[in-house]
Amino acid sequence: MGAYIIRRIGQAIIVLIGISIIAFLLLYAVPADPARIIAGPHATPQTVQQIRIDLGLNLPIWEQYLKYMGNLLQGNLGTSYIFHTSVMSQISGRMGPTAELALGCWIMELLIGIPLGIYTARHANKVRDVVISALALVGISLPVYWLGLILLIVFGFKIPIFPLGGTGGIYHLILPAITYGITGAAYYLRLLKSTMLDVMNQDYVRTARAKGASERRVIYRHVLRNALIPVITFAGIDIGTLLAGVVLIEETFNWNGMGMLAYQAIGNQDIPVIMGTVLLLAVFVVVFNLLVDIAYGFVDPRIRYD
């Protein structure tokens, strides 16, 4: 098991290095001059050139990358070109709201998706199953930002039950969580339903029914417990993806998190902030995938030898 964990950690590190290289190359391929942005539109060419030298932007790109990674290993993500503060301080101030939003969205997905998955599995091929499954397909297809704007207009402006965006208490969290919950719950619904239908055809489930166990006991004690294993796996990966994928939600609801920080940095061409947020969000995804893989190794020993 130790070798398996070490191998998976090594693969995760390689993935992160690959992401850092791709992100670095893409950002520095953009036709923008950070020195000009910092100096302002009225600066002389000499001033711009001096800033370029001070930032090391005159160095070959591979040397800039190695210098960046060297600083990164010391916990230094650089300094914002726009705000002239450390990127780490900016990110650390946004991590809490992003974690709060991601957790709220994740819980809402589970609250909507799992009960509907159980319900549609129990009533498979009936009208109610067809209707709910069709609505789930619509939910998957809806763009998050569009649904978020509709909910804001209806429940924030027309019927002012919730605030019109912003970061704050639980009332600020409800609409973003519902928005993501509606679109994300469809995946849990479809996954749980298909898994439950497979488990329902197993011999031990037929045996339980033949022994006279109630349908409720069969579903919740024998079927659901086994059908939830892939759902739990997906949920573990999903929480990491959510942390990295709430950019649109944060922008739509003016949520002051890392997604909003990345969005503003892209608009300002603030490359150190973009690199910092991209790398940190990538770390979230890779780490949660790693934890799920390691957990699988404990649950199913065959995976350790793949």
Side-chain angles (χ1 to χ4, degrees), residues 217-231:
R217 182 181 176 84
V218 169
I219 293 294
Y220 289 99
R221 186 176 179 83
H222 298 286
V223 176
L224 186 59
R225 288 176 62 178
N226 293 293
L228 277 178
I229 293 174
V231 176

Side-chain angles (χ1 to χ4, degrees), residues 43-90:
T44 64
Q46 293 76 14
T47 302
V48 174
Q49 180 61 20
Q50 186 58 49
I51 293 175
R52 196 174 289 123
I53 294 171
D54 293 342
L55 294 176
L57 298 175
N58 59 326
L59 300 173
I61 190 168
W62 61 268
E63 196 170 341
Q64 292 184 47
Y65 174 75
L66 292 178
K67 183 180 178 183
Y68 181 83
M69 293 303 290
N71 291 331
L72 180 64
L73 292 176
Q74 300 175 46
N76 181 8
L77 289 171
T79 303
S80 167
Y81 290 159
I82 304 301
F83 301 105
H84 307 291
T85 57
S86 73
V87 175
M88 185 58 79
S89 66
Q90 289 198 40

Side-chain angles (χ1 to χ4, degrees), residues 24 27-28 30 32 34 68 81 265 268-276:
F24 196 86
L27 285 176
Y28 279 84
V30 174
Y68 181 83
Y81 290 159
N268 294 326
Q269 298 180 342
D270 197 347
I271 291 176
V273 177
I274 298 173
M275 275 295 296

Side-chain angles (χ1 to χ4, degrees), residues 9-251:
I9 292 175
Q11 291 171 348
I13 292 173
I14 292 172
V15 169
L16 288 174
I17 293 174
I19 292 172
S20 70
I21 293 174
I22 293 172
F24 196 86
L25 291 176
L26 288 177
L27 285 176
Y28 279 84
V30 174
D33 187 354
R36 170 60 65 184
I37 296 172
I38 295 171
H42 305 296
T44 64
Q46 293 76 14
T47 302
V48 174
Q49 180 61 20
Q50 186 58 49
I51 293 175
R52 196 174 289 123
I53 294 171
D54 293 342
L55 294 176
L57 298 175
N58 59 326
L59 300 173
I61 190 168
W62 61 268
E63 196 170 341
Q64 292 184 47
Y65 174 75
L66 292 178
K67 183 180 178 183
Y68 181 83
M69 293 303 290
N71 291 331
L72 180 64
L73 292 176
Q74 300 175 46
N76 181 8
L77 289 171
T79 303
S80 167
Y81 290 159
I82 304 301
F83 301 105
H84 307 291
T85 57
S86 73
V87 175
M88 185 58 79
S89 66
Q90 289 198 40
I91 290 178
S92 60
R94 304 291 187 100
M95 287 178 66
T98 293
E100 180 186 349
L101 177 61
L103 184 62
C105 294
W106 186 67
I107 291 173
M108 191 60 70
E109 284 181 325
L110 297 178
L111 288 177
I112 298 173
I114 289 181
L116 288 179
I118 297 171
Y119 186 81
T120 52
R122 294 186 64 180
H123 303 88
N125 300 321
K126 295 180 180 177
V127 174
R128 64 194 84 172
D129 167 42
V130 174
V131 172
I132 293 175
S133 297
L135 291 175
L137 185 60
V138 173
I140 292 177
S141 307
L142 287 176
V144 171
Y145 61 90
W146 179 84
L147 181 60
L149 288 175
I150 295 297
L151 292 178
L152 272 177
I153 292 171
V154 175
F155 298 106
F157 183 69
K158 298 287 185 183
I159 310 171
I161 302 175
F162 300 107
L164 277 168
T167 310
I170 188 70
Y171 285 108
H172 291 81
L173 181 61
I174 291 176
L175 276 187
I178 290 176
T179 302
Y180 207 95
I182 289 175
T183 56
Y187 294 101
Y188 287 96
L189 185 158
R190 292 161 67 92
L191 176 61
L192 183 57
K193 177 188 171 185
S194 63
T195 311
M196 284 186 67
L197 291 177
D198 288 339
V199 176
M200 283 177 177
N201 292 320
Q202 298 296 318
D203 290 339
Y204 67 89
V205 176
R206 296 195 192 96
T207 302
R209 287 196 171 107
K211 286 183 176 180
S214 67
E215 186 63 18
R216 184 181 184 83
R217 182 181 176 84
V218 169
I219 293 294
Y220 289 99
R221 186 176 179 83
H222 298 286
V223 176
L224 186 59
R225 288 176 62 178
N226 293 293
L228 277 178
I229 293 174
V231 176
I232 292 171
T233 304
F234 181 73
I237 297 173
D238 188 35
I239 187 67
T241 308
L242 263 173
L243 284 167
V246 292
V247 176
L248 287 177
I249 288 286
E250 290 189 358
E251 199 277 331

Side-chain angles (χ1 to χ4, degrees), residues 152 164-167 249-257 260 264:
L152 272 177
L164 277 168
T167 310
I249 288 286
E250 290 189 358
E251 199 277 331
T252 303
F253 289 92
N254 194 27
W255 190 271
N256 199 25
M260 179 64 79
Q264 293 169 341

